[in-house]
Amino acid sequence: MLDIRYLRDNLEEAEARIKSRGEGYTLAGFRDLDDRKRKLLHANEALKAEKNRLSEEIAKVKDKSTVQQQIAEMRATSQIIKQQDEELKQLDEELRMFLLTVPNLPGSATPLGSSEADNVEVRRWGSAPALDFSPKPHWEVGEALRILDFETGAKLTGARFTLYRGAGARLERALINLMLDLHTEEHGYTEMLPPFMVNRESMTGTGQLPKFEEDLFKMEGLDYYLIPTAEVPVTNIHRDEILKGTDLPVRYAAYTPCFRKEAGSYGKDTRGLIRQHQFNKVELVAFCRPEESSAELERLLGNAEKVLQLLCIHYRVMALCSGDIGFSAAQTYDIEVWLPGQNTFREISSCSNFEDFQARRAAIRFRDGEKKPEFVHTINGSGLAVGRTVVAILENYQQADGSVIIPTVLRPYMGGMERITL
RNA sequence: GGAGAGAUGGCCGAGUCGGCCGAAGGCGCUCGCCUGCUAAGCGAGUAUACUGGGAAACCGGUAUCGAGGGUUCGAAUCCCUCUCUCUCCGCCA
């Protein structure tokens, strides 16, 4: 949510910055709505002040029969106030919904551009494995080793669900543990295990609602949603709270499964693990002071990169352009991992600075001493998407004989296993 | 699922027959004093949002005692609905 006072004072500038996202967002209608609301609010409050004043006077009078006239007047005034309250509530709700559907302003560090093609490569790490055979996509590798079973996943549930078997299941679990241990023991994050379903307020706090309801799985008959990312429950841990300035930055790491409808991606990435309705992810979330959020994003990005470095897998970091960043983000880096089986880089992590956009929606603030509370900045990113990391391992570490070497760092988590064979 | 109890400021906790209650008191915290250090003691201050005025310090208005509605000139206090927490019983991983 944008600062309503910023909008009042800088509507044209805000509109221009939002236009750089390319989508058809508009701030038209804001001025009129805001003016009407404030006008009514003033009238309403003046009337209430009068009511309060008179009620106090009536209270002081012992003999109520002498103030029957005033009581009758106040009865009428109360009716007017009630009507105004009703109108005000509607205007407030209208204004709130308007503000909740306006995306964040792209930050100054975000390159301008209209699509994915305008994203800027920041750096590359490592190099593609030298394979002296034609590498296979992970679904072929995984199926041949009988560690990924797409057919049974589909039988159990439907398309975009997968059953991991044996060493495959172990590999997924090993990665989760490796990532959590790394981030908690080396990078200073506190581990959290949140609920996998959240309510509407939490979804609104991080920006999934009200605009993106169609991407979410909702429980029937309940206002509970399956989380599309741990970002939602973990960020909302501090919803409606005022943190101590001295406690910042606050850093949390959480493993959760993630559930996404993937509406509108029919036909895309239909094979393999890349696009599932359910996938595992270790998420990093940070709350910090506004002036520290740029550095915190770089730090968090580095923490996520570290996973791939430990696994010795080639990747690149992309700075997303204004046309490609998400609704709530001001700035985003994607980490794209090299997939030799598909001869391409694929997103394995997305790290964003939301500045005060989520903090304002979720009312997450901090306070230094006796000063006024201020909104924190929130930063989060995948550290990493686990399923896609399995993909990367299967494709990068596949051997000519169809086996897959297990990266050295992972072996302690795999019971010492060095290679997955049939 | 059945029965009951409760929800007040950072925390604990008072609030009688509705008005002088943004709310006693305590703890905590901040500042000052005192003190050889620590502890104790003394004094003052200590919610948030919106809004009007002001360069600012600050001053005024409105709202908020779980949420929403009702009664009333007036509700933390009365009534209704919901949510959550706790206790007991049943069931259950």
Side-chain angles (χ1 to χ4, degrees):
Chain A
M1 193 154 61
L2 300 180
D3 182 359
I4 193 165
R5 273 169 286 208
Y6 168 81
L7 281 184
R8 269 176 207 150
D9 300 340
N10 307 279
L11 196 61
E12 291 73 24
E13 183 191 307
E15 188 123 42
R17 287 174 68 185
I18 282 174
K19 272 217 174 78
S20 74
R21 285 177 166 271
E23 303 161 63
Y25 289 112
T26 176
L27 300 177
F30 167 76
R31 186 79 74 193
D32 175 60
L33 192 56
D34 185 49
D35 282 347
R36 276 195 293 151
K37 187 218 140 173
R38 283 206 287 176
K39 216 169 172 184
L40 185 58
L41 183 68
H42 292 158
N44 181 257
E45 288 192 346
L47 219 50
K48 281 179 177 172
E50 174 67 7
K51 181 192 83 173
N52 289 343
R53 201 183 55 75
L54 245 158
S55 283
E56 227 167 291
E57 272 179 31
I58 292 171
K60 285 181 198 150
V61 176
K62 297 266 165 49
D63 181 2
K64 300 295 189 224
S65 64
T66 62
V67 288
Q68 284 311 307
Q69 176 71 22
Q70 281 94 318
I71 287 179
E73 273 175 39
M74 278 301 97
R75 194 171 301 159
T77 306
S78 278
Q79 283 310 309
I80 296 171
I81 289 173
K82 201 176 279 186
Q83 275 174 31
Q84 287 182 340
D85 280 344
E86 198 59 42
E87 278 177 66
L88 207 49
K89 212 167 103 182
Q90 279 178 26
L91 280 175
D92 260 331
E93 184 56 20
E94 217 176 307
L95 198 56
R96 195 181 79 93
M97 283 311 283
F98 173 84
L99 288 172
L100 285 177
T101 53
V102 174
N104 201 356
L105 301 173
S108 54
T110 293
L112 292 177
S114 57
S115 77
E116 203 179 323
D118 298 314
N119 293 344
V120 176
E121 184 172 318
V122 176
R123 62 177 162 268
R124 286 186 185 216
W125 186 91
S127 54
L131 302 174
D132 54 4
F133 57 95
S134 171
K136 293 178 184 154
H138 69 277
W139 56 86
E140 287 181 19
V141 176
E143 278 184 319
L145 289 171
R146 298 205 204 132
I147 56 174
L148 295 181
D149 184 344
F150 301 103
E151 267 185 47
T152 305
K155 175 174 88 176
L156 294 175
T157 311
R160 297 198 193 284
F161 287 89
T162 302
L163 171 68
Y164 289 66
R165 291 178 182 268
R170 182 70 186 264
L171 180 60
E172 182 94 1
R173 179 160 61 91
L175 282 167
I176 293 167
N177 286 332
L178 168 75
M179 292 178 197
L180 281 174
D181 285 353
L182 172 70
H183 298 311
T184 56
E185 291 165 17
E186 308 290 328
H187 297 153
Y189 292 80
T190 303
E191 184 170 347
M192 294 285 167
L193 183 61
F196 302 159
M197 293 181 211
V198 297
N199 58 28
R200 166 166 292 272
E201 288 70 45
S202 294
M203 284 293 185
T204 305
T206 33
Q208 281 72 21
L209 289 179
K211 267 200 86 107
F212 306 103
E213 179 121 31
E214 68 278 8
D215 296 335
L216 302 169
F217 286 105
K218 188 178 188 204
M219 295 297 111
E220 189 167 344
L222 281 172
D223 217 12
Y224 293 170
Y225 298 81
L226 288 174
I227 56 171
T229 158
E231 160 190 352
V232 179
V234 175
T235 304
N236 278 281
I237 288 171
H238 294 300
R239 174 151 49 84
D240 296 321
E241 289 184 8
I242 300 174
L243 302 169
K244 276 196 203 124
T246 49
D247 288 344
L248 297 177
V250 171
R251 301 186 176 112
Y252 297 139
Y255 152 74
T256 71
C258 304
F259 303 90
R260 299 183 182 178
K261 274 200 177 164
E262 297 294 345
S265 64
Y266 303 111
K268 259 203 224 163
D269 304 311
T270 49
R271 307 210 61 184
L273 285 178
I274 291 290
R275 196 172 297 276
Q276 300 276 291
H277 286 309
Q278 175 190 323
F279 62 96
N280 294 307
K281 186 153 63 70
V282 170
E283 184 77 0
L284 303 174
V285 177
F287 306 81
C288 70
R289 325 173 82 83
E291 64 273 20
E292 287 168 349
S293 66
S294 291
E296 189 66 29
L297 174 62
E298 299 297 328
R299 184 185 187 279
L300 187 144
L301 171 65
N303 297 153
E305 285 177 70
K306 184 72 181 173
V307 177
L308 288 175
Q309 291 171 7
L310 289 174
L311 293 169
C312 294
I313 298 176
H314 182 42
Y315 68 83
R316 65 179 185 179
V317 175
M318 305 294 287
L320 299 201
C321 74
S322 55
D324 204 27
I325 56 174
F327 178 80
S328 300
Q331 185 190 356
T332 299
Y333 290 113
D334 273 5
I335 301 174
E336 296 185 346
V337 71
W338 176 247
L339 298 181
Q342 297 164 67
N343 197 38
T344 186
F345 284 100
R346 284 307 297 256
E347 177 191 336
I348 196 167
S349 171
S350 193
C351 302
S352 302
N353 183 356
F354 302 89
E355 297 184 342
D356 61 8
F357 187 83
Q358 294 181 325
R360 183 169 281 111
R361 287 175 161 245
I364 307 169
R365 293 172 290 172
F366 74 98
R367 187 206 321 255
D368 282 317
E370 301 288 291
K371 289 195 209 148
K372 290 226 91 173
E374 267 187 78
F375 289 112
V376 300
H377 277 195
T378 56
I379 295 96
N380 69 54
S382 349
L384 306 163
V386 183
R388 289 189 181 187
T389 308
V390 167
V391 168
I393 289 171
L394 295 186
E395 297 205 6
N396 282 277
Y397 283 90
Q398 60 180 302
Q399 305 297 305
D401 64 1
S403 67
V404 171
I405 304 266
I406 294 171
T408 320
V409 276
L410 217 45
R411 291 179 190 171
Y413 292 95
M414 292 288 288
M417 194 187 290
E418 294 178 5
R419 183 192 284 258
I420 301 175
T421 54
L422 193 55

